[in-house]
Amino acid sequence: MESGKVIQETPKIQINRSKVKQKEAIIGWLFLLPEMIGLALLYVFPLIFSLILSFSQWNLLGGLSGIEFVGLDNFKQMFQDEKVLIAIKNNLQFTFMVVPISMAISLVLAVVIHSNVYLQSYFKVAFFIPYISSIIAVGAVWRALYHPSAGPINQFLMSIGIADPPKWLADTSASLLAIIIITIWTLIGYVVVIYIAGLSNIPPSLYEAASIDGASNFQKFYKITLPLLGPTHMFLAITLLIGSFKVFDLIAFLTDGGPINSSTVLVYLIYEEGFQKYNMGYASALSWLLFAIVSVLTFLTWKVQNNKMFN
Amino acid sequence: MNFAKLDKLKLVNTIVLGMISIFFLVPLIWMLSTSFKYESDVLVYPIEWIPTSINVVNNFKAVWMADIPFYLFYYNSIKLAGIMTLFTILISSMAAFSFSMLHFKGKNLVFFLMITLMIIPEQSTLVPRFILIRWLGLYNTHEALILMGMFSIYFTFLIRQYMISIEHDYMEAAKIDGANYFTIYWKIILPLCKPILATVGIIKFIWTWNDYQNPLIFLLDRKLYPITMGIQLFQDDYADNYAVIMMASVSAIIPLVLVFIILQKRVINGISLGGVKG
Amino acid sequence: MKRLNSLMVLLVAMFVFLTIAGCSGGDEESNAGSGDGGDGTNDGEVVTIKWYNWDNDVMGATTQKYIEEFEKENPNIKVESVPLVPGDSLASLQNLDILLSSGEEVDVISFPNADSLYQRAELGALASLNDFYEEEGIDPTEVYYVNPSVGDDYYGIQFNATTNFVLLNKDALDEAGLEVPKIGWTWDDFAEYAEKLTVEKDGKKMHGAYFHSWSLYMNPIAQTLMKHPFLFEDGTTNFSDPSFKKMFEMRKELEEKGYAKSYSDVLGAELGYRSEFFNESAAMLLTGSWMIGEAGDTEINPHDFTTAFAPVPVLNEGDEFAAFMGGNFLAIGNSSTKKEESYKFARFVSENLSEGRVELPGLKQGDARPVVERIIEGNEELIDVESLMYTLFDEEVNYLDASQVSIGYGRELESILSDGFAKYMLNDESIDEVIDWMIEEATKVIDKNS
């Protein structure tokens, strides 16, 4: 490019630049517009509305004029409501079983599939199938498997000498476990795939170097694989954590939160209060409780993971 | 010698993992086998993995030629998932384009606010969204589900992360030319983003396909039901006739699995891209 | 450029879609607001009223006949049937609530029972019928068995009557050498029957009895022989009645001895009561008059045995027999601008005994026998008609008066009952503790609501 030409053009570009800037801003907002409208309509407005509702008592049937402000009553009621405590306890139990167990099983599977196995793509597919299968169709299958007296699972357990196997979906001490098992089963494929992606980002040269130093497979796993998967652990932990707090489909389909609330969770309570009993105010207050818990847990995971990575 | 030893380990791994994978798929194998059986043979123990007497035709008829035939649920699911996926890709990629390629005041603030909104669990806004949908007169319509399903902060975020890694030269050149931003977006940037768009499309499609909560709350007419709700209907109607219910489950699961097997590389790469980038 | 165009088309399409989405809502509202201009009176103009129900195909045929006959008599009124969720009354009610809450004009509504009607009446969603009754000059208590009312206001017109009875597999009874039971048989007799009817047949076990997961089956006595399923007439909980303890214990005993399927199976596998009885997995089934039409119908329920009928057992020998009468009710929405026409139609349906009717009427006067005969027409072969007629119409069959208590929180009490039952059946908690817990919880709910 000739230098003269550049000099000549400089002023023109400057004029253009402010015009361009203006145009760019307009265009920029235009491109954002659809998303903005959607978010305002479906996130911001509902958020504000549910905040208002959470301080009021409103039965949907009464119409808008039936909204009655009750201050903090809903929140007071919430902390005395035995069902809410059970739901939170169930939620925590669910999360602290689903997240670590599915991550641990999947990590082992991923390491084996990634490094040292024939038929790699078969395994990826096989473990992934439950994840893409419709959760309700899968739930229907498991309901039959869980049949208390004649189902395959309990027939098997009895045939190996367990005389009194759990009654699964009809058992107050096993219904949540039954849901947890199905959830882990469907999640494993997804977590395996994410771990494999994480594993392929680790440079093979590290393992080679470790081999030369005489490191055992276990040492390699512990010293190289685990720490270098840090961001992947982090991603999975947060995603699964948030996801597990939103569990609803299987519970609504299989147990309705029962028997005797043994498998109820926060989202199910919101559904029950809001859409079956029409206590919209109370349901909104519960929604904010859910929001608060998820935010705190997300923050904590993030904090813990960050600390680990720095140490 | 080393070579042979390594191979042996690999073989052992494969066999062990193979056994685990079959154990893992047992529920689905049981489903498939049950869908061929007479009801009276279903809960026989030990399990007849290969049915001795076959009733698959009647089971199939019960599912596919019911009062509301199964293909209607299929049609609804495909329609809903298809439209939502397209709209999501379009809307999210437009926003992502703006966030990553264009420079203007206020952009970063909006982005920050958007990311904050991402923490809100969908279910905490269920009640007001329900009221909103009713006000709009969209209760019991597919439009309600589509409207709620076409905006996604998560996907906007994913696409933006990808676009940021694209070289900005195109933009600079285009700006100087005074070129049309829409042309750049549509003809240059979108084609470059194909991998992430495929990812978003696949994840969104699977999520919508498997959604149960929104149809449960926002749909009333059985003719509008997607597959998930269709299965629920069979469960209610056939109660403990497992052969028919399993046929319904097979009908819901198998086609998607076949599509997945054909597109497996795409799907798996897509899912892992979402994971790593996110 | 072509590509660009397609983008623009997509964008435009999207906004059109959004606008349509927004507008269609507005349209609907304005429609509802302006109504059809028919303010009750009609001067030659045709008025259309909507009847919200949960008709499936079979019930829909009846509905259609009612409507045809009504329209013939009243050419100025057209009736449109709107089945909300076919075959599912509970889901239909939920959807009805959504319609009511969105201000939609709702004319005539079917309710499956009085409790669900009270709930909506208390929230002001239904119109009082007193003025209409007065105008017509009738006293509803003389016309219908059950007249749901809140305070002094009547809200429901009984158009179907439901009573409970026990279905028995007659072939199995004959094989066991048992008689079809008569009025006055007790639940102890029932348990004895269950024991004798439990047999192994062709490698398949037939249990003596089946109890479904509904609260009706948890304590049948409260549901069939008391005026209100959850309350005494003084408004306190009836969970303290000794029948609860007795029936809970009986259920467990039958289950433990293998004479009835376990509650955990019923719950965990979501068993269906129709298939349990008609597939001969159980020989006795407590159920209600809605099953009359199905009993001999081999198309809906393929089977080849004869079904007999018996009245609900009583608690102790010598107890007087008076059965609870429930029913389906028609109510008129408060939002309706065509209340008069709606009332006319509801009354018409309730008094219609013609061809179409497949359920018992709620009328005190008149003979329902022909109705029953028509309902079972063509299916007599597999129905023990004699015991059916005896169970429904014998002189000794008395019905309880309507309860004086009406509550809108029956559902909460029902969930206490089912939780208490599950505590006892599934968790083996002691019966006395469970009953105490139920009384305590129910009292809390009652106090909160009064």
Coordinates of all heavy atoms in Angstrom, one line a residue, chain C residues 74-138:
Chain C
N74 N -86.4 -26.2 22.7 CA -86.1 -24.8 22.9 C -85.2 -24.3 21.7 O -84.0 -24.2 21.7 CB -85.2 -24.6 24.1 CG -85.9 -25.0 25.4 OD1 -86.8 -24.3 25.9 ND2 -85.7 -26.3 25.8
P75 N -85.9 -24.0 20.6 CA -85.2 -23.7 19.4 C -84.4 -22.4 19.5 O -83.5 -22.2 18.7 CB -86.3 -23.5 18.3 CG -87.6 -23.4 19.1 CD -87.4 -24.0 20.4
N76 N -84.6 -21.6 20.5 CA -83.8 -20.4 20.6 C -82.5 -20.6 21.4 O -81.7 -19.7 21.5 CB -84.7 -19.4 21.4 CG -85.7 -18.8 20.5 OD1 -85.6 -18.9 19.3 ND2 -86.7 -18.2 21.1
I77 N -82.4 -21.8 21.9 CA -81.1 -22.0 22.7 C -80.3 -23.1 22.1 O -80.8 -24.2 21.8 CB -81.5 -22.4 24.2 CG1 -82.4 -21.3 24.8 CG2 -80.2 -22.4 25.0 CD1 -82.9 -21.7 26.2
K78 N -79.1 -22.8 21.8 CA -78.2 -23.8 21.3 C -77.2 -24.1 22.4 O -76.8 -23.3 23.2 CB -77.4 -23.3 20.1 CG -78.1 -23.4 18.8 CD -77.1 -23.2 17.6 CE -77.3 -24.2 16.5 NZ -78.5 -25.0 16.5
V79 N -76.9 -25.4 22.5 CA -76.0 -25.8 23.6 C -74.7 -26.5 22.9 O -74.8 -27.3 22.0 CB -76.6 -26.9 24.5 CG1 -75.6 -27.2 25.6 CG2 -77.9 -26.4 25.0
E80 N -73.6 -26.0 23.4 CA -72.3 -26.5 22.9 C -71.7 -27.3 24.0 O -71.5 -26.7 25.1 CB -71.5 -25.4 22.4 CG -70.2 -25.8 21.6 CD -69.3 -24.6 21.4 OE1 -69.8 -23.5 21.1 OE2 -68.1 -24.8 21.4
S81 N -71.3 -28.5 23.8 CA -70.6 -29.3 24.8 C -69.1 -29.1 24.7 O -68.6 -29.2 23.6 CB -71.0 -30.8 24.7 OG -70.1 -31.6 25.4
V82 N -68.5 -28.8 25.8 CA -67.0 -28.6 25.8 C -66.3 -29.6 26.7 O -66.3 -29.3 27.9 CB -66.6 -27.2 26.2 CG1 -65.1 -26.9 26.0 CG2 -67.4 -26.1 25.4
P83 N -65.9 -30.7 26.2 CA -65.2 -31.7 27.1 C -63.8 -31.1 27.4 O -63.1 -30.9 26.4 CB -65.2 -33.0 26.3 CG -66.0 -32.7 25.0 CD -66.0 -31.3 24.8
L84 N -63.5 -30.9 28.6 CA -62.2 -30.3 28.9 C -61.1 -31.3 28.8 O -60.2 -31.2 27.9 CB -62.2 -29.6 30.3 CG -63.1 -28.4 30.3 CD1 -63.4 -28.0 31.8 CD2 -62.4 -27.2 29.6
V85 N -61.1 -32.3 29.7 CA -60.1 -33.4 29.5 C -60.9 -34.7 29.5 O -61.4 -35.1 30.5 CB -59.1 -33.5 30.7 CG1 -58.1 -34.6 30.4 CG2 -58.3 -32.2 30.8
P86 N -61.1 -35.2 28.3 CA -62.1 -36.4 28.2 C -61.7 -37.5 29.2 O -60.6 -37.9 29.3 CB -61.9 -36.9 26.8 CG -61.4 -35.6 26.0 CD -60.6 -34.9 27.0
G87 N -62.8 -37.9 29.9 CA -62.6 -39.0 30.8 C -61.9 -38.8 32.1 O -61.7 -39.7 32.9
D88 N -61.5 -37.5 32.4 CA -60.7 -37.2 33.6 C -61.4 -36.0 34.3 O -61.1 -34.9 33.9 CB -59.3 -37.0 33.2 CG -58.4 -36.8 34.5 OD1 -58.9 -36.5 35.5 OD2 -57.2 -37.0 34.4
S89 N -62.2 -36.3 35.3 CA -62.9 -35.2 35.9 C -62.0 -34.3 36.7 O -62.2 -33.1 36.7 CB -64.0 -35.8 36.8 OG -63.5 -36.6 37.8
L90 N -61.0 -34.8 37.3 CA -60.1 -34.0 38.2 C -59.3 -33.0 37.3 O -59.3 -31.8 37.6 CB -59.2 -34.8 39.0 CG -59.8 -35.6 40.1 CD1 -58.8 -36.4 40.9 CD2 -60.6 -34.6 41.1
A91 N -58.7 -33.5 36.2 CA -57.9 -32.7 35.3 C -58.9 -31.7 34.7 O -58.5 -30.5 34.5 CB -57.2 -33.5 34.3
S92 N -60.1 -32.1 34.4 CA -61.0 -31.1 33.8 C -61.3 -30.0 34.7 O -61.4 -28.8 34.3 CB -62.3 -31.8 33.4 OG -62.1 -32.7 32.4
L93 N -61.5 -30.3 36.0 CA -61.7 -29.2 36.9 C -60.6 -28.2 37.0 O -60.8 -27.0 37.1 CB -62.0 -29.8 38.3 CG -63.3 -30.5 38.5 CD1 -63.5 -31.1 39.9 CD2 -64.4 -29.4 38.3
Q94 N -59.4 -28.8 37.0 CA -58.2 -27.9 37.0 C -58.3 -26.9 35.8 O -58.0 -25.7 35.9 CB -56.9 -28.7 36.9 CG -56.5 -29.1 38.3 CD -55.1 -29.7 38.2 OE1 -54.3 -29.4 37.4 NE2 -54.8 -30.6 39.1
N95 N -58.6 -27.5 34.7 CA -58.7 -26.6 33.5 C -59.8 -25.7 33.5 O -59.8 -24.5 33.1 CB -58.7 -27.5 32.2 CG -57.3 -28.1 32.0 OD1 -56.4 -27.4 31.8 ND2 -57.3 -29.4 32.0
L96 N -60.9 -26.1 34.1 CA -62.0 -25.2 34.3 C -61.6 -24.0 35.2 O -62.0 -22.9 34.9 CB -63.2 -26.0 35.0 CG -64.3 -25.1 35.4 CD1 -65.2 -24.9 34.2 CD2 -65.1 -25.7 36.6
D97 N -60.9 -24.3 36.2 CA -60.4 -23.2 37.1 C -59.7 -22.2 36.3 O -59.8 -21.0 36.6 CB -59.5 -23.8 38.2 CG -60.3 -24.7 39.2 OD1 -61.5 -24.5 39.2 OD2 -59.7 -25.5 39.9
I98 N -58.9 -22.6 35.4 CA -58.1 -21.7 34.6 C -59.0 -20.8 33.8 O -58.9 -19.6 33.7 CB -57.1 -22.4 33.7 CG1 -56.0 -22.9 34.6 CG2 -56.5 -21.5 32.7 CD1 -55.3 -24.2 34.2
L99 N -60.0 -21.4 33.2 CA -61.0 -20.7 32.4 C -61.7 -19.7 33.3 O -61.9 -18.5 33.0 CB -62.1 -21.6 31.8 CG -61.6 -22.5 30.7 CD1 -62.7 -23.4 30.3 CD2 -61.2 -21.6 29.5
L100 N -62.2 -20.1 34.5 CA -62.9 -19.3 35.4 C -62.0 -18.1 35.8 O -62.4 -16.9 35.8 CB -63.3 -20.0 36.7 CG -64.4 -21.0 36.5 CD1 -64.6 -21.8 37.8 CD2 -65.7 -20.3 36.2
S101 N -60.7 -18.4 36.1 CA -59.8 -17.3 36.6 C -59.5 -16.3 35.5 O -59.1 -15.2 35.8 CB -58.6 -17.9 37.2 OG -57.9 -18.6 36.2
S102 N -59.6 -16.7 34.2 CA -59.2 -15.8 33.2 C -60.4 -15.0 32.8 O -60.4 -14.3 31.8 CB -58.6 -16.5 32.0 OG -59.5 -17.4 31.5
G103 N -61.5 -15.1 33.5 CA -62.7 -14.3 33.2 C -63.5 -14.7 32.1 O -64.4 -14.0 31.6
E104 N -63.2 -15.9 31.6 CA -64.0 -16.5 30.5 C -65.4 -16.7 30.9 O -65.7 -17.0 32.1 CB -63.4 -17.9 30.1 CG -64.1 -18.6 29.0 CD -63.4 -18.6 27.7 OE1 -62.3 -18.0 27.7 OE2 -63.9 -19.1 26.8
E105 N -66.3 -16.5 30.0 CA -67.7 -16.7 30.3 C -68.0 -18.2 30.4 O -67.9 -18.9 29.4 CB -68.6 -16.0 29.3 CG -70.1 -16.0 29.7 CD -70.9 -15.3 28.7 OE1 -70.4 -14.5 27.9 OE2 -72.1 -15.6 28.7
V106 N -68.4 -18.7 31.5 CA -68.7 -20.1 31.7 C -70.2 -20.3 32.1 O -70.6 -19.7 33.1 CB -67.8 -20.7 32.8 CG1 -68.2 -22.1 33.1 CG2 -66.3 -20.6 32.4
D107 N -70.9 -21.0 31.2 CA -72.4 -21.1 31.5 C -72.7 -22.3 32.4 O -73.1 -22.1 33.5 CB -73.1 -21.2 30.2 CG -72.8 -20.0 29.3 OD1 -72.8 -18.9 29.8 OD2 -72.5 -20.3 28.1
V108 N -72.6 -23.5 31.9 CA -73.0 -24.7 32.6 C -71.7 -25.5 32.9 O -70.9 -25.8 32.0 CB -74.0 -25.5 31.9 CG1 -74.5 -26.7 32.7 CG2 -75.2 -24.6 31.5
I109 N -71.6 -26.0 34.1 CA -70.4 -26.8 34.5 C -70.9 -28.1 35.1 O -71.8 -28.1 36.0 CB -69.5 -26.1 35.5 CG1 -69.2 -24.6 35.0 CG2 -68.3 -26.8 35.8 CD1 -68.9 -23.7 36.2
S110 N -70.2 -29.2 34.8 CA -70.5 -30.5 35.5 C -69.5 -30.6 36.6 O -68.3 -30.3 36.4 CB -70.2 -31.7 34.5 OG -71.1 -31.6 33.5
F111 N -69.9 -31.0 37.8 CA -69.0 -31.4 38.9 C -69.2 -32.8 39.2 O -70.3 -33.3 39.3 CB -69.3 -30.5 40.1 CG -68.8 -29.1 39.9 CD1 -69.7 -28.1 39.5 CD2 -67.5 -28.8 40.2 CE1 -69.2 -26.8 39.4 CE2 -67.0 -27.5 40.0 CZ -67.9 -26.5 39.6
P112 N -68.0 -33.5 39.5 CA -68.1 -34.9 39.8 C -68.6 -35.2 41.2 O -69.0 -36.3 41.5 CB -66.7 -35.4 39.6 CG -65.8 -34.2 39.8 CD -66.7 -33.0 39.4
N113 N -68.6 -34.3 42.1 CA -69.0 -34.5 43.4 C -69.3 -33.1 44.1 O -69.0 -32.1 43.6 CB -68.0 -35.3 44.2 CG -66.7 -34.7 44.2 OD1 -66.5 -33.5 44.3 ND2 -65.7 -35.5 43.9
A114 N -69.9 -33.2 45.3 CA -70.3 -32.0 45.9 C -69.1 -31.2 46.4 O -69.1 -29.9 46.3 CB -71.3 -32.3 47.1
D115 N -68.1 -31.9 46.9 CA -66.9 -31.2 47.5 C -66.3 -30.2 46.5 O -65.9 -29.1 46.8 CB -65.9 -32.2 47.9 CG -65.9 -32.3 49.5 OD1 -66.8 -31.7 50.1 OD2 -65.0 -32.9 50.0
S116 N -66.1 -30.7 45.2 CA -65.4 -29.9 44.2 C -66.3 -28.7 43.9 O -65.8 -27.7 43.5 CB -65.1 -30.8 43.0 OG -66.3 -31.3 42.5
L117 N -67.6 -28.9 44.0 CA -68.5 -27.8 43.8 C -68.4 -26.7 44.9 O -68.3 -25.5 44.6 CB -69.9 -28.3 43.7 CG -71.0 -27.4 43.2 CD1 -72.0 -28.1 42.3 CD2 -71.8 -26.8 44.4
Y118 N -68.3 -27.2 46.1 CA -68.2 -26.2 47.2 C -67.0 -25.3 47.1 O -67.0 -24.1 47.3 CB -68.0 -27.0 48.6 CG -69.3 -27.7 49.0 CD1 -69.2 -29.0 49.6 CD2 -70.5 -27.1 48.9 CE1 -70.3 -29.7 50.0 CE2 -71.7 -27.8 49.3 CZ -71.5 -29.1 49.8 OH -72.7 -29.7 50.2
Q119 N -65.9 -26.0 46.7 CA -64.6 -25.2 46.6 C -64.8 -24.0 45.7 O -64.4 -22.9 46.0 CB -63.5 -26.1 45.9 CG -62.6 -26.7 46.9 CD -61.7 -27.7 46.2 OE1 -61.7 -27.9 45.0 NE2 -60.8 -28.3 47.0
R120 N -65.4 -24.2 44.5 CA -65.6 -23.1 43.6 C -66.7 -22.2 44.0 O -66.6 -21.0 43.8 CB -66.0 -23.7 42.2 CG -64.8 -24.1 41.4 CD -64.3 -25.5 41.8 NE -63.0 -25.9 41.2 CZ -62.4 -27.0 41.6 NH1 -63.0 -27.8 42.5 NH2 -61.3 -27.4 41.0
A121 N -67.7 -22.7 44.7 CA -68.8 -21.8 45.1 C -68.3 -20.9 46.2 O -68.6 -19.7 46.2 CB -70.0 -22.7 45.7
E122 N -67.5 -21.4 47.1 CA -66.9 -20.5 48.1 C -66.1 -19.4 47.6 O -66.0 -18.3 48.2 CB -66.1 -21.3 49.1 CG -67.0 -22.0 50.1 CD -66.2 -22.8 51.2 OE1 -65.0 -22.9 51.0 OE2 -66.9 -23.2 52.2
L123 N -65.5 -19.6 46.5 CA -64.6 -18.5 45.9 C -65.5 -17.6 45.0 O -64.9 -16.8 44.3 CB -63.5 -19.1 45.1 CG -62.4 -19.8 45.9 CD1 -61.6 -20.8 45.1 CD2 -61.5 -18.7 46.6
G124 N -66.8 -17.8 45.0 CA -67.6 -16.9 44.2 C -67.7 -17.1 42.8 O -68.1 -16.3 42.0
A125 N -67.3 -18.4 42.3 CA -67.2 -18.6 40.9 C -68.6 -19.1 40.4 O -68.8 -19.1 39.2 CB -66.2 -19.7 40.6
L126 N -69.5 -19.5 41.3 CA -70.8 -20.1 40.8 C -71.9 -19.2 41.2 O -71.9 -18.4 42.1 CB -71.0 -21.5 41.4 CG -69.8 -22.4 41.2 CD1 -70.1 -23.8 41.8 CD2 -69.6 -22.6 39.7
A127 N -73.0 -19.3 40.5 CA -74.2 -18.5 40.7 C -75.2 -19.2 41.6 O -75.4 -20.4 41.5 CB -74.9 -18.2 39.4
S128 N -75.8 -18.5 42.5 CA -76.8 -19.1 43.4 C -78.0 -19.4 42.6 O -78.4 -18.7 41.7 CB -77.1 -18.1 44.5 OG -78.4 -18.5 45.1
L129 N -78.7 -20.6 42.9 CA -79.8 -21.0 42.2 C -81.2 -20.6 42.8 O -82.2 -20.9 42.2 CB -79.8 -22.5 42.0 CG -78.5 -23.1 41.3 CD1 -78.5 -24.6 41.4 CD2 -78.5 -22.7 39.8
N130 N -81.1 -20.0 44.0 CA -82.3 -19.8 44.8 C -83.4 -19.0 44.0 O -84.6 -19.4 44.0 CB -82.0 -19.0 46.0 CG -81.2 -19.9 47.0 OD1 -80.7 -20.9 46.6 ND2 -81.2 -19.5 48.3
D131 N -83.0 -17.9 43.3 CA -84.0 -17.1 42.6 C -84.7 -17.9 41.5 O -85.9 -17.8 41.3 CB -83.3 -15.9 42.0 CG -82.9 -14.9 43.1 OD1 -83.3 -15.1 44.2 OD2 -82.1 -14.0 42.8
F132 N -83.9 -18.8 40.8 CA -84.5 -19.6 39.8 C -85.4 -20.6 40.3 O -86.5 -20.8 39.7 CB -83.3 -20.3 39.0 CG -82.4 -19.3 38.3 CD1 -81.1 -19.2 38.7 CD2 -82.9 -18.6 37.2 CE1 -80.3 -18.3 38.0 CE2 -82.0 -17.7 36.5 CZ -80.7 -17.6 36.9
Y133 N -85.1 -21.2 41.4 CA -86.0 -22.2 42.0 C -87.3 -21.5 42.4 O -88.4 -22.0 42.2 CB -85.3 -22.9 43.2 CG -84.3 -23.9 42.9 CD1 -83.1 -24.1 43.7 CD2 -84.5 -24.9 41.9 CE1 -82.2 -25.1 43.4 CE2 -83.6 -25.9 41.6 CZ -82.5 -26.0 42.4 OH -81.5 -27.0 42.1
E134 N -87.1 -20.4 43.0 CA -88.3 -19.6 43.5 C -89.2 -19.3 42.3 O -90.4 -19.5 42.4 CB -87.8 -18.3 44.2 CG -88.6 -18.0 45.4 CD -87.9 -17.0 46.2 OE1 -87.0 -17.3 47.0 OE2 -88.1 -15.8 46.0
E135 N -88.6 -18.8 41.3 CA -89.3 -18.4 40.1 C -90.1 -19.5 39.5 O -91.3 -19.4 39.1 CB -88.4 -17.8 39.0 CG -89.0 -16.9 38.1 CD -88.0 -16.3 37.1 OE1 -87.0 -15.7 37.6 OE2 -88.1 -16.4 35.9
E136 N -89.4 -20.7 39.5 CA -90.1 -21.9 38.9 C -91.1 -22.5 39.9 O -92.0 -23.2 39.6 CB -89.0 -22.9 38.6 CG -89.5 -23.9 37.5 CD -88.5 -25.1 37.3 OE1 -87.3 -24.8 37.4 OE2 -89.0 -26.2 36.9
G137 N -90.9 -22.1 41.2 CA -91.8 -22.5 42.2 C -91.6 -23.9 42.7 O -92.5 -24.7 43.0
I138 N -90.3 -24.3 42.8 CA -90.1 -25.7 43.3 C -89.1 -25.6 44.5 O -88.4 -24.7 44.7 CB -89.4 -26.6 42.2 CG1 -88.1 -25.9 41.7 CG2 -90.4 -26.9 41.1 CD1 -87.3 -26.9 40.9

